[in-house]
Amino acid sequence: MAEGGEREELLSPPPVSPAKRLCPWPSPQAHLPRGSPGTASGGVGGVGSSCLAPEARPHLQPESLLDCAAKTVAEKWAYERVEERFERIPEPVQRRIVYWSFPRNEREICMYSSFQYRNGPGAGAAGGAAGASSGFHLSGTVTEPATASEPTVTYKVAISFDRCKITSVTCGCGNKDIFYCAHVVALSLYRIRKPDQVKLRLPISETLFQMNRDQLQKFIQYLITAHHTEVLPTAQKLADEILSSNSEINQVNGAPDPTAGASADDENCWHLDEEQVKEQVKLFLSQGGYYGSGKQLNSMLAKVREMLRMRDSNGARMLTLITEQFMADPRLTLWRQQGTSMTDKCRQLWDELGALWVCIILNPHCKLEEKSCWLQQLKKWSDLDVCPLEDGNYGHELPNITNALSQNANHSSDSLSRPRRTVFTRAIEGRELHWQDSHLQRIISSDLYTAPACQRESERLLFNSHGQPLWLEHVPTACARVDALRSHGYPKEALRLTVAIINTLRLQQQRQLEIYKHQKKELLQRGTTTITNLEGWVGHPLDPIGCLFLTLTEACRLNDDSYMEVSDMNESRLPVYQHVPVATGCSNSSESYLSLALEVALMGMGQQRVMPEGLYAQDKVCRNEEQLLSQLQELQLDDELVQTLRKQCMLLLEGGPFSGLGEVIHRESVPMHTFAKYLFSALLPHDPDLSYKLALRAMRLPVLENSTSVGDTSHPHHMMSVVPSRYPRWFTLGHLESQQCELASTMLTAAKGDTLRLRTILEAIQKHIHSSSLIFKLAQDAFKIATPTDSSTDSTLLNVALELGLQVMRMTLSTLNWRRREMVRWLVTCATEVGVRALVSILQSWYTLFTPTEATSIVAATAVSHTTILRLSLDYPQREELASCARTLALQCAMKDPQSCALSALTLCEKDHIAFEAAYQIAIDAAAGGMTHSQLFTIARYMELRGYPLRAFKLASLAMSHLNLAYNQDTHPAINDVLWACALSHSLGKNELAALIPLVVKSVHCATVLSDILRRCTVTAPGLAGIPGRRSSGKLMSTDKAPLRQLLDATINAYINTTHSRLTHISPRHYGEFIEFLSKARETFLLPQDGHLQFAQFIDNLKQIYKGKKKLMLLVRERFG
């Protein structure tokens, strides 16, 4: 793809800016003639000479002295300084300086590549590039190969460079981005990888100096001819100015040359398009909650860290530009006015912004004037009302970055009484920190720094018993120093300070254990303690533990992905670590940085700390813990790491009030569930006893527990959820409880088959978990694990599942829970899986577990079902035992709640005459009380279905006495029951019908229903039910005689009353419907012999009373005369 030969259509250099330096006219003695020995064939600087980088040359060929000197000069000196220093610079020397002035590190080029090109053409398209260098200006072309949809495209690229930095770029692709496009990257990499393929020329001013007058005139005229439309006006203007003796151009010596390098006064920094930085950040912020925008902003902040690591001054410059746009975000004002909090993603970006400024202020080689300028800007931002606070929306303040916390309970409360703290406050406080401390300098300068043989009194606190240096400083502040060293490209120094901090933490841990040993008895008796660590390290704004962990693990990584192989987010590989011995002056040290990383992570996460105030601060604690644990899970635990893990776990268990896993903890201490779950899983294969002891200790959640001693597990059937009268606002309590549940589930799974361990875990669950839904989830998990589809059932875990299910039943018996029905069904399923004894047990103790309705309709019904009998393969005695228990339960429930349970009780007692009679009597006794007509009708229909029509009639009569059907309730759900009851009484005989009709007349006032009953009673003769001992007369009943006469009169009266009621508020659109209603009424009126006279009188009355409704009355006359 590379183009052969030199191209004539190379992109011209960027236009001359005021910063471009003027090149004075050199004297003739400063240059050698063309045939001089300095440019002879095979010389150092000729076009035909070797331009290979020393590493590309044969291994035995040493680098020339000229190259050694040119490399140093090219990197450190502006070329103008070289010209000022030396009157005569040989052309070969100039060539080598130009050659070595181009960046040599591919990592720097890729650092400035656009995000979308990190894996694209920029990294691999060097083969499609061609270029030539004119002084400090590289121009060339980059060809993109053809694709299925696009043809081959060639772009012109121009790059200016100075002192191993690219100072400006232009590309014909026109892409607007913060960093370099793929074509600029490709040409740059081509120049680094194949320098011999790039033709090297001196600055254009040097070439012009070698021309005589005729050559210069020809050069200019050819140049104008080639580009006359673009440069002719400019050429004419310049010619006029040069010919004018008083023009400004003639007042200065020399002329600008864009290819001659930068001026000595120019800032030597990489090209960064500030306007594009502002525009891009502004755009991403305006996109709000979109995932892509947050990802891009995170990438930009990561790019700042990358620049800082390369010690590139643009890191602070770019961070300033980003911060300016963040502060100008209009959402800040909106959030403040509305009193709402910013989104989590946005809040995390602000946190990273603040942490980066801390790193910049703590730069150990920062110039005082730069630091002063940054601090002034930070103070200005921090004073703005819209500047986000460090702790989110709450005012709980953390100690000053420069204040070390004393590790005792007698700390001064003044350390917490601080004014408003913003995300920049810690960076501003960093102005008080310096690096001049001699002890600190010795720590970071040498691995061999140990205690002197003869220590002064003041030096004894600076070293541990092994002579290793300590760094006694507020832990997050000390870790901020580590982060600053690491971020600014001082990994060895950061590592040394990290080791000193860990040695200090170890010493503090030992002293804390000694303190606890003297206080242990008193603390255990009291059952509570105070928080000694006021500032938690996990979730801290400076992320001290994460900083130490990364510093140590980076020193142990095997597959450190190179800068050219940035993997895709979806293709990230897990890092591989190796043990690297700790470099120390102590001969007896056999530790590795990897074991130290594990140790410090365990120390930090095991620290007992108070839960911070505010939703964001609490959420950050959880997120930071999860991040640390995900990093810990990347470590492959070998023998050395397991030994470290076991040792640290034992120290945490013995740590008293200084450890979150100590015997006694504060009520508002951050729970250790997530941390303990990792420890349990990691330790289980190596030390089961320790892993279970630790996980069981971590199960507690003191903020929800009562004053009972933490070690008390004597109440395994703790039923009620213990909620204290007052507890702080733990916004993440739901998440913490779910993590507690996860820990318990992990233990249950691991303890499958171990009865003793399962019993201990069960007691811990019953004591410490207070959410019924979570216990139910644990029960379901245990049941699922205990009953795999592909292997036999584990009875031990199944019994635990049943115990948990029983506890859920007790906890939710008297409270509302929308999943209660599901829970009851599941418990019956679980008890069925356990066996017949479990079913008998829950049937016998139903009153402590279920409501009467649940017990009869779900529990007992399922227990005696055909499916259950087949599932358990029950013999006759077992079936009878279950049935007997179910009948006993049914009668008990019917007595307690007859309204809901009478029917279920009758169903369950069908096969036992005595029990059935008892259930029926309970229903009859309750009918006069609180049972509704619907419940009674349902039982009555059941009795008829079972062959008890007389009992059904009795219940139906009772139900009828509870009913009241108004004149306009012609769609009432009880109508079918009324019709059924009348049909039942009619089928039983005239006497039963006569007994029921008065009840019907009293309860039903709806004319259409009464007429329907009347019609049905006249269709067939009564007494057709075939009751033994009774005979049917076979005669139809007359409406003129009792009992139907009473029903007829009631029906006619109902029609009359309904007619008047409807006419009171009738509208014209209902006239047609009303006429149809009168037609039905006439059918009933005509049943008796004098019915037609009665109906005619009724119609006449209507005409007289409602004569004002002329249209309606006209319709009445048309239909009825």
Side-chain angles (χ1 to χ4, degrees), residues 19 120 208 211 246 447 667 741 815 894 921 972 1016:
L208 295 177
M211 297 181 184
N246 296 325
D447 294 323
R667 181 166 169 263
C741 177
T815 59
Q921 192 57 47
H972 195 282
R1016 291 174 185 236

Side-chain angles (χ1 to χ4, degrees), residues 764-804:
I765 292 170
Q766 292 172 330
K767 178 174 178 58
H768 296 299
I769 297 184
H770 308 288
S771 166
S772 58
S773 59
L774 291 177
I775 297 180
F776 182 51
K777 181 181 181 302
L778 279 174
Q780 288 178 307
D781 291 346
F783 181 79
K784 192 179 297 183
I785 297 166
T787 56
T789 55
D790 55 350
S791 60
S792 59
T793 300
D794 182 84
S795 59
T796 57
L797 194 53
L798 193 59
N799 282 314
V800 169
L802 180 62
E803 286 286 342
L804 291 173

Side-chain angles (χ1 to χ4, degrees), residues 25-58:
W25 308 122
S27 59
Q29 292 82 0
H31 292 271
L32 296 176
R34 284 180 175 267
S36 64
T39 60
S41 177
V44 176
V47 174
S49 66
S50 172
C51 292
L52 287 174
E55 57 270 19
R57 299 173 185 169

Side-chain angles (χ1 to χ4, degrees), residues 493-705:
E493 291 80 357
L495 208 53
R496 292 165 185 152
L497 183 56
T498 297
V499 173
I501 293 171
I502 292 175
N503 285 330
T504 308
L505 293 177
R506 284 173 169 171
L507 185 62
Q508 289 177 353
Q509 193 179 47
Q510 292 172 4
R511 290 175 178 173
Q512 289 167 354
L513 284 172
E514 292 171 4
I515 294 171
Y516 175 58
K517 286 178 182 177
H518 293 93
Q519 301 176 343
K520 183 173 182 178
K521 185 176 180 181
E522 178 189 350
L523 288 174
L524 291 177
Q525 287 177 346
R526 203 166 56 198
T528 184
T529 183
T530 56
I531 290 285
T532 57
N533 303 312
L534 294 177
E535 190 175 25
W537 299 334
V538 175
H540 192 281
L542 298 176
D543 189 18
I545 301 302
C547 170
L548 297 181
F549 184 83
L550 284 177
T551 304
L552 291 162
T553 52
E554 281 178 356
C556 305
R557 288 185 69 154
L558 268 179
N559 60 337
D560 187 14
D561 292 338
S562 70
Y563 49 89
M564 290 301 296
E565 298 174 356
V566 180
S567 59
D568 210 58
M569 290 296 290
N570 297 327
E571 299 176 359
S572 57
R573 293 182 295 166
L574 287 177
V576 178
Y577 299 103
Q578 63 177 346
H579 284 284
V580 177
V582 175
T584 175
C586 299
S587 57
N588 59 349
S589 176
S590 58
E591 295 176 318
S592 73
Y593 291 120
L594 201 57
S595 62
L596 288 186
L598 176 61
E599 182 177 355
V600 76
L602 299 180
M603 276 187 186
M605 285 188 288
Q607 174 204 37
Q608 185 181 180
R609 53 200 182 271
V610 70
M611 178 66 77
E613 294 182 18
L615 170 60
Y616 179 73
Q618 293 175 12
D619 181 62
K620 190 174 181 181
V621 168
C622 299
R623 271 191 289 104
N624 194 199
E625 182 179 45
E626 289 168 1
Q627 289 168 357
L628 287 168
L629 289 174
S630 67
Q631 292 168 339
L632 279 177
Q633 286 165 352
E634 294 174 353
L635 303 180
Q636 297 295 322
L637 296 179
D638 55 17
D639 291 343
E640 185 175 345
L641 293 183
V642 168
Q643 185 178 354
T644 302
L645 181 65
R646 183 186 284 115
K647 178 183 176 182
Q648 195 55 228
C649 286
M650 293 173 68
L651 289 172
L652 288 173
L653 286 172
E654 299 167 2
F658 307 98
S659 165
L661 292 168
E663 289 183 82
V664 181
I665 57 174
H666 190 269
R667 181 166 169 263
E668 296 178 29
S669 177
V670 174
M672 297 280 116
H673 308 131
T674 311
F675 179 44
K677 181 185 172 186
Y678 163 77
L679 295 177
F680 176 81
S681 300
L683 266 177
L684 187 62
H686 311 285
D687 194 336
D689 291 339
L690 180 59
S691 64
Y692 278 103
K693 181 180 180 182
L694 187 146
L696 289 168
R697 175 79 61 83
M699 275 292 293
R700 59 200 172 185
L701 188 56
V703 75
L704 293 181
E705 293 175 6

Side-chain angles (χ1 to χ4, degrees), residues 900-932:
S900 303
C901 302
L903 180 59
S904 297
L906 287 166
T907 305
L908 289 167
C909 297
E910 282 177 357
K911 296 180 180 179
D912 187 285
H913 178 70
I914 297 176
F916 187 80
E917 290 297 322
Y920 172 70
Q921 192 57 47
I922 291 171
I924 293 296
D925 294 342
M931 292 187 75
T932 66

Side-chain angles (χ1 to χ4, degrees), residues 688-914:
D689 291 339
L690 180 59
S691 64
Y692 278 103
K693 181 180 180 182
L694 187 146
L696 289 168
R697 175 79 61 83
M699 275 292 293
R700 59 200 172 185
L701 188 56
V703 75
L704 293 181
E705 293 175 6
N706 56 13
S707 57
T708 304
S709 174
V710 175
D712 181 17
T713 57
S714 60
H715 305 288
H717 299 294
H718 182 64
M719 290 188 292
M720 299 301 293
S721 177
V722 181
V723 180
S725 58
R726 179 186 175 276
Y727 59 94
R729 295 189 70 187
W730 281 30
F731 297 94
T732 56
L733 188 58
H735 171 75
L736 297 172
E737 286 186 290
S738 67
Q739 291 300 307
Q740 183 187 35
C741 177
E742 287 293 322
L743 173 61
S745 180
T746 303
M747 286 195 288
L748 285 174
T749 305
K752 178 180 178 181
D754 190 328
T755 307
L756 184 59
R757 290 202 194 280
L758 285 173
R759 177 53 54 184
T760 308
I761 297 167
L762 177 63
E763 291 174 358
I765 292 170
Q766 292 172 330
K767 178 174 178 58
H768 296 299
I769 297 184
H770 308 288
S771 166
S772 58
S773 59
L774 291 177
I775 297 180
F776 182 51
K777 181 181 181 302
L778 279 174
Q780 288 178 307
D781 291 346
F783 181 79
K784 192 179 297 183
I785 297 166
T787 56
T789 55
D790 55 350
S791 60
S792 59
T793 300
D794 182 84
S795 59
T796 57
L797 194 53
L798 193 59
N799 282 314
V800 169
L802 180 62
E803 286 286 342
L804 291 173
L806 294 174
Q807 183 179 357
V808 173
M809 292 297 101
R810 297 185 192 104
M811 292 176 71
T812 58
L813 180 59
S814 57
T815 59
L816 293 176
N817 192 304
W818 64 274
R819 298 184 66 188
R820 171 75 183 180
R821 193 171 184 85
E822 176 195 356
M823 292 171 174
V824 172
R825 290 187 181 281
W826 178 89
L827 181 72
V828 177
T829 302
C830 183
T832 304
E833 198 69 31
V834 172
V836 67
R837 300 318 311 163
L839 283 173
V840 169
S841 175
I842 64 173
L843 288 173
Q844 291 175 343
S845 59
W846 70 268
Y847 46 86
T848 64
L849 303 171
F850 313 108
T851 64
T853 306
E854 293 168 346
T856 53
S857 63
I858 301 176
V859 181
T862 306
V864 298
S865 68
H866 186 64
T867 305
T868 303
I869 294 171
L870 290 179
R871 175 73 182 84
L872 296 177
S873 302
L874 299 180
D875 55 23
Y876 180 76
Q878 290 174 323
R879 292 200 299 271
E880 281 302 303
E881 183 182 14
L882 267 182
S884 174
C885 290
R887 289 191 293 270
T888 304
L889 176 150
L891 293 175
Q892 290 173 346
C893 292
M895 288 292 291
K896 190 171 184 180
D897 186 5
Q899 294 88 350
S900 303
C901 302
L903 180 59
S904 297
L906 287 166
T907 305
L908 289 167
C909 297
E910 282 177 357
K911 296 180 180 179
D912 187 285
H913 178 70
I914 297 176

Side-chain angles (χ1 to χ4, degrees), residues 41 92 96 138 162 172 228 259 265 277 287 327 376 392 446 451 480 498 504 528 598 610 627 643 657 862 946 1084:
S41 177
R96 299 317 289 166
L138 174 66
D162 174 57
H228 65 279
T259 68
D265 299 328
V277 173
Q287 293 174 351
M327 290 300 300
Q376 186 178 358
S446 174
T498 297
T504 308
T528 184
L598 176 61
V610 70
Q627 289 168 357
Q643 185 178 354
T862 306
R946 304 309 301 174
T1084 303

